[in-house]
Amino acid sequence: MKRKKWAGLLLAIVMVVAGCSQASSTGGQSEEGQQGDKPLTLYFARHGETLFNKQGRMQGWSDSPLTEKGKETAIHLGKGLADISFVAAYSSTSERAIDTAQYLLDGRSVPLITDKNLREMNFGEWEAESAEKIMEQYPAIWEFDPSFKSPVGGESIPELLKRTQTAVERIIRENKAKGGNVLVVTHGLATMNFIYHLDPRSISIDGPLPNGSVTTVEWKDGALKVLKVGDESYIKKGEQQK
């Protein structure tokens, strides 16, 4: 996606989600902390490259398999995260996310919990269509005008945000008593939308989240704080290992 179009998209996301919550821009309130609750660090990992990614096709609720590059990235990411102990692991129900999660959890005893609320945005009948073609014909979807509704079904940005929030609240609720690190394997736009809701100023990357990148968010005392977005250092660390 071109830089200019992403700039418009991201600005519009900020405008849309600003009205969806009264949380502060430096840390949204989620699952109010109580005495005895322990801090959590959520590791949002984007799935590896898929066939549709490679072909430039719309991929929301539709699915396509990981490419060899995507599998390799997931293996490297798993090695790069090896020193981090996870108390729990969650994944979107999409095959590409589950397959990536299995690579990341290889050799660990942490069970994988799937949640359909972690899925990517639903693009309706645009699924599997050329992303470039849709971008040219319907630029409003990339600008995320709050009044825009896809003529072919699918979700709006506020709808995507609401279910992503529901998934994150569940993760916090199920793990705040023990605290620690939680792996969450999900998707690019779903993650970016959620992060912009928390703190639009935290985004420093130019373009979509890279496949296999990690975005970290801390939950402490009932508030969420973005630590890092689109971090590819774990992939590089894994590549250096034999």
Side-chain angles (χ1 to χ4, degrees), residues 19 66 70-71 106 120 137-138 146 157-158 184 191 213 217 223 239:
L66 296 179
K71 294 176 183 177
D106 185 41
E120 183 58 287
Q137 295 180 350
Y138 301 94
I157 280 294
V184 185
T191 300
S213 64
V217 176
E239 290 175 342

Side-chain angles (χ1 to χ4, degrees), residues 85-128:
S85 177
F86 292 112
V87 298
Y90 294 78
S91 170
S92 153
T93 52
S94 296
E95 181 181 355
R96 60 191 185 273
I98 293 174
D99 288 349
T100 298
Q102 290 174 340
Y103 281 111
L104 303 187
L105 295 174
D106 185 41
R108 298 176 185 258
S109 59
V110 182
L112 181 64
I113 302 169
T114 58
D115 190 332
K116 65 182 181 180
N117 283 323
L118 290 171
R119 285 181 295 180
E120 183 58 287
M121 186 177 187
N122 181 357
F123 294 113
E125 293 179 23
W126 284 334
E127 297 280 345

Side-chain angles (χ1 to χ4, degrees), residues 204-215:
S204 60
I205 61 173
D206 182 18
L209 287 177
N211 289 108
S213 64
V214 176
T215 296

Side-chain angles (χ1 to χ4, degrees), residues 5-36:
K5 291 180 178 178
W6 258 92
L9 180 154
L10 298 179
L11 176 60
I13 289 179
V14 175
M15 294 174 65
V16 172
V17 300
C20 295
S21 173
Q22 297 180 349
S24 71
S25 63
T26 57
Q29 298 300 316
S30 178
E31 288 291 323
E32 185 176 354
Q34 299 179 7
Q35 187 173 3

Side-chain angles (χ1 to χ4, degrees), residues 73-91:
T73 296
I75 291 172
H76 289 153
L77 178 57
K79 291 180 178 179
L81 292 170
D83 294 337
I84 298 174
S85 177
F86 292 112
V87 298
Y90 294 78
S91 170

Side-chain angles (χ1 to χ4, degrees), residues 1-2 4-20 58-60 120-123 126 131 134-135 138-150 153-164 188-194 196-197 207-208:
M1 187 177 291
K2 296 181 180 180
K4 183 177 180 180
K5 291 180 178 178
W6 258 92
L9 180 154
L10 298 179
L11 176 60
I13 289 179
V14 175
M15 294 174 65
V16 172
V17 300
C20 295
M58 303 285 282
Q59 186 175 217
E120 183 58 287
M121 186 177 187
N122 181 357
F123 294 113
W126 284 334
I134 299 301
M135 187 186 300
Y138 301 94
I141 190 174
W142 305 112
E143 296 168 0
F144 283 84
D145 182 341
S147 64
F148 177 78
K149 181 64 178 178
S150 167
E155 292 180 294
S156 67
I157 280 294
E159 289 170 336
L160 171 62
L161 176 60
K162 182 177 180 179
R163 65 174 172 81
T164 305
L189 183 54
T191 300
M192 184 73 81
N193 184 36
F194 181 69
Y196 259 83
H197 159 69

Side-chain angles (χ1 to χ4, degrees), residues 39-60:
L40 293 167
T41 301
L42 310 182
Y43 286 72
F44 290 90
R46 188 189 177 197
H47 61 78
E49 181 192 70
T50 68
L51 181 61
F52 279 8
N53 288 152
K54 187 175 181 179
Q55 296 175 341
R57 295 183 179 277
M58 303 285 282
Q59 186 175 217

